[in-house]
Amino acid sequence: MTSTGIRLHAPAPGWSITADVVVVGSGVAGLTAALRCEAAGLTTVVVTKARLDDGSTRWAQGGVAAALGEGDTPEQHLDDTLVAGAGLCDEEAVRLLVTEGPGAVRRLISTGARFDTDDAGTIQLTREGGHHRRRIAHAGGDATGAEISRALVDAVRARGLRTIENALVLDLLTDAEGRTAGVTLHVMGEGQHDGVGAVHAPAVVLATGGMGQVFSATTNPAVSTGDGVALALRAGAEVSDLEFVQFHPTVLFLGPDAEGQQPLVSEAVRGEGAHLVDADGTRFMVGQHELAELAPRDIVAKGITRRMQETGAEHMYLDGRHFGAEMWERRFPTILAACRAHGIDPVTEPVPVAPAAHYASGGVRTDDRGRTTVPGLYACGEAACTGVHGANRLASNSLLEGLVYAERIAADLAAAHVDGTLAARVPAPVPHAECPAHPLLAPEARFAVQRIMTEGAGVLRSADSLARAAERLERLHTEALEALETDGKTPEPGVDTWEATNLLGIARVLVAAARLREETRGCHWREDRPERDDENWRRHIVVTLRPDRSLAERLTETADFPPTR
């Protein structure tokens, strides 16, 4: 690993605290890692961008996939995951996920999460796209993420873990040998700490969630600006599979100009029997895949997009009128309320839906213990690329991955704590002033990045669209860099400028990888390269940031990741 030496333009830290481990993010992955580390006797600090329960986990509707039902097995779950991943899953990573998954879910229940059960107390299971069995455990009908978040936040508060809320992580601190030494962060608003500070620690766990805000329309909350992946890139870590952005097929259509977070209509609605239809009521997914509406998400998103092109429509419809009012109110109360808030009643009319950016299958490359290519830096959840998802995430595997790999990270750190190696590597950070500053973008550039990405690197991509996107992104980057290098000018450091800068960094990597991958695979759909090409492209694209801020891309030899160290 070679450090880039690049950091965001920001004031020097005005305060600092120390810990054994700093966990950045408070979703299912971050809080699970934090709780397990604390239980192992590690001094743990949780840093989160908003409130503890404001991350993407809270918005997850469908549930957690695990082989919990009668007749189901981890091997069957593995098979479905490998099919959805379109040849790019790391099979051993998936095997760990599905084998350790049921136990991880039971430990989540022991932490306090309450899943929906039948009268006998057995966990109720449903189906979602790509699953051949009912293996999705859910809570509150369609509020699984909210319940998981509640349980984990309650546990964190009950155990008195130190937390720093409303804090945007800025950069990784490293020592003279390139080992992790903590993070810098900016705390927004008044509190025990305010402004830019630092948490010094020999281990950092990135659990910062997704990057959906790189597109104009997404299911992700406003905080999902790829901060952890951008930090890792500046620190010299390897990032992989960023071209594989899953567009959820059924997002409530609010109009062609709608921007920001859009209401999700869970795949579980189709799992319970709702149909995708066009304006004439035709079920257009029938005959396109053996599972019809329950095909993997990339196939359904493509099916919807094709039908929209064929008919000139801006959206399709999800028809669940046959459910009746009682089922909508009992099974999907959150979705029902969201639809009615926008003037649509699913009980009496089909719901207009269209694909929107949903989940990043790629991220910071890790091994099976969550270790990145930077010593002491770990990643889990949506910010990580463990090899589990391949070219397309199987529905409801995300919460499970967060649980399983967070526990594996905690186990690795606990072992290092016991044998003394964690304490032995308490590092001294390289002084802040020695690092060159990264130019910032003006806050309004965020919307320029989103429009560029939506137009050029959305559901449908081509060599031409990606080339235009790359050119426009590079222009934004070059103009900011020239302004800094020529006359030392850069926009005022702040949350808006840091987020816009992170989004541009992520967008550049995504487009570079999408241009390089000249095939259609999973949720990467190239109109000019419509076929899957296993001979040349059943490999991963790994990207790093050079010290001159240019991107370096390489291909792995196989679909399995090489060791991180």
Side-chain angles (χ1 to χ4, degrees):
M1 192 282 300
T2 302
S3 175
T4 67
I6 299 170
R7 61 169 176 81
L8 288 174
H9 187 83
W15 55 269
S16 67
I17 61 174
T18 60
D20 294 322
V21 182
V22 54
V23 177
V24 187
S26 59
V28 61
L31 294 188
T32 298
L35 287 165
R36 298 293 182 269
C37 285
E38 185 269 344
L42 294 160
T43 303
T44 305
V45 173
V46 177
V47 174
T48 188
K49 194 171 179 180
R51 298 189 306 273
L52 280 180
D53 62 352
D54 268 347
S56 293
T57 292
R58 180 164 67 92
W59 299 97
Q61 294 174 344
V64 183
L68 298 167
E70 185 176 353
D72 198 4
T73 65
E75 198 68 24
Q76 293 176 65
H77 190 182
L78 180 141
D79 289 343
D80 285 346
T81 301
L82 295 180
V83 170
L88 271 190
C89 296
D90 184 315
E91 186 167 341
E92 286 309 305
V94 178
R95 195 173 299 280
L96 285 174
L97 177 83
V98 299
T99 302
E100 298 180 11
V105 172
R106 294 186 182 99
R107 284 186 289 277
L108 177 63
I109 292 171
S110 70
T111 302
R114 298 187 291 265
F115 289 92
D116 295 338
T117 59
D118 60 21
D119 292 340
T122 303
I123 294 176
Q124 292 180 329
L125 302 172
T126 189
R127 277 183 70 193
E128 291 185 359
H131 293 273
H132 283 79
R133 282 191 175 272
R134 285 182 170 263
R135 65 166 67 95
I136 316 300
H138 48 83
D142 59 356
T144 309
E147 170 57 20
I148 290 173
S149 181
R150 179 207 61 78
L152 291 173
V153 168
D154 284 355
V156 163
R157 288 174 174 156
R159 297 181 193 182
L161 265 73
R162 187 167 191 173
T163 62
I164 304 176
E165 296 181 278
N166 302 306
L168 172 63
V169 67
L170 298 177
D171 281 303
L172 189 74
L173 292 169
T174 54
D175 64 12
E177 297 178 5
R179 299 175 303 178
T180 293
V183 292
T184 56
L185 63 158
H186 174 77
V187 180
M188 300 164 267
E190 297 179 0
Q192 184 178 1
H193 303 291
D194 197 9
V196 175
V199 181
H200 296 149
V204 171
V205 180
L206 295 178
T208 50
M211 57 181 195
Q213 290 291 327
V214 80
F215 295 95
S216 296
T218 178
T219 62
N220 290 191
V223 295
S224 297
T225 51
D227 307 314
V229 179
L231 173 151
L233 278 165
R234 291 191 295 273
E238 293 182 354
V239 169
S240 187
D241 294 1
L242 229 60
E243 69 270 33
F244 297 116
V245 177
Q246 186 178 83
F247 286 76
H248 198 288
T250 53
V251 175
L252 185 63
F253 182 75
L254 300 180
D257 299 322
E259 294 184 339
Q261 186 178 11
Q262 312 289 301
L264 176 66
V265 183
S266 171
E267 196 151 348
V269 178
R270 281 175 281 137
E272 295 292 354
H275 302 143
L276 281 168
V277 298
D278 59 20
D280 296 326
T282 302
R283 286 183 62 190
F284 56 87
M285 285 304 300
V286 175
Q288 291 198 37
H289 189 275
E290 61 165 330
L291 296 176
E293 285 95 349
L294 284 176
R297 287 180 177 173
D298 62 312
I299 294 172
V300 179
K302 291 172 188 175
I304 290 174
T305 304
R306 284 196 189 101
R307 196 63 163 189
M308 287 163 58
Q309 290 177 327
E310 291 168 0
T311 62
E314 294 179 321
H315 59 81
M316 290 289 109
Y317 294 93
L318 188 63
D319 191 352
R321 289 176 291 179
H322 53 287
F323 288 175
E326 189 277 333
M327 180 173 174
W328 273 109
E329 292 165 359
R330 171 182 54 81
R331 182 67 178 85
F332 302 113
T334 306
I335 297 169
L336 179 64
C339 289
R340 285 177 170 170
H342 291 283
I344 300 155
D345 190 349
V347 177
T348 60
E349 60 186 317
V351 178
V353 293
H358 182 57
Y359 190 87
S361 293
V364 187
R365 188 170 81 81
T366 73
D367 65 9
D368 62 5
R369 288 184 276 175
R371 302 181 301 180
T372 74
T373 51
V374 177
L377 180 64
Y378 294 76
C380 55
E382 194 173 354
C385 184
T386 63
V388 159
H389 303 307
N392 182 45
R393 174 180 67 100
L394 181 65
S396 288
N397 268 358
S398 52
L399 293 175
L400 188 71
E401 184 197 30
L403 284 171
V404 169
Y405 280 86
E407 290 190 340
R408 296 186 69 81
I409 288 172
D412 190 68
L413 288 170
H417 179 59
V418 169
D419 66 22
T421 56
L422 187 67
R425 63 175 189 252
V426 175
V430 170
H432 179 89
E434 293 183 8
C435 299
H438 193 64
L440 300 181
L441 293 187
E444 58 268 21
R446 173 180 185 142
F447 304 105
V449 171
Q450 291 172 334
R451 287 191 292 271
I452 291 168
M453 294 299 290
T454 298
E455 293 169 9
V459 178
L460 299 179
R461 302 167 178 175
S462 68
D464 289 343
S465 75
L466 291 166
R468 288 192 299 272
E471 180 183 1
R472 294 168 67 189
L473 292 171
E474 203 59 31
R475 191 180 309 135
L476 287 174
H477 172 72
T478 301
E479 289 173 354
L481 187 58
E482 288 177 348
L484 179 64
E485 293 180 344
T486 302
D487 51 23
K489 291 183 178 180
T490 192
E492 186 71 22
V495 174
D496 290 344
T497 53
W498 289 321
E499 286 185 335
T501 303
N502 285 339
L503 285 172
L504 176 60
I506 296 298
R508 292 177 68 214
V509 176
L510 193 162
V511 169
R515 293 183 75 186
L516 184 59
R517 183 172 293 280
E518 295 182 335
E519 64 160 355
T520 288
R521 181 186 297 272
C523 50
H524 172 66
W525 187 7
R526 285 280 297 261
E527 292 180 285
D528 56 326
R529 300 282 184 172
E531 303 301 324
R532 173 170 152 176
D533 180 359
D534 280 350
E535 182 177 352
N536 295 305
W537 291 107
R538 193 166 176 260
R539 298 185 287 172
H540 299 275
I541 296 172
V542 178
V543 182
T544 54
L545 185 66
R546 297 189 181 101
D548 66 359
R549 300 180 179 86
S550 64
L551 301 177
E553 303 114 15
R554 69 177 178 89
L555 294 174
T556 61
E557 294 298 321
T558 68
D560 295 331
F561 279 136
T564 57
R565 58 193 67 180

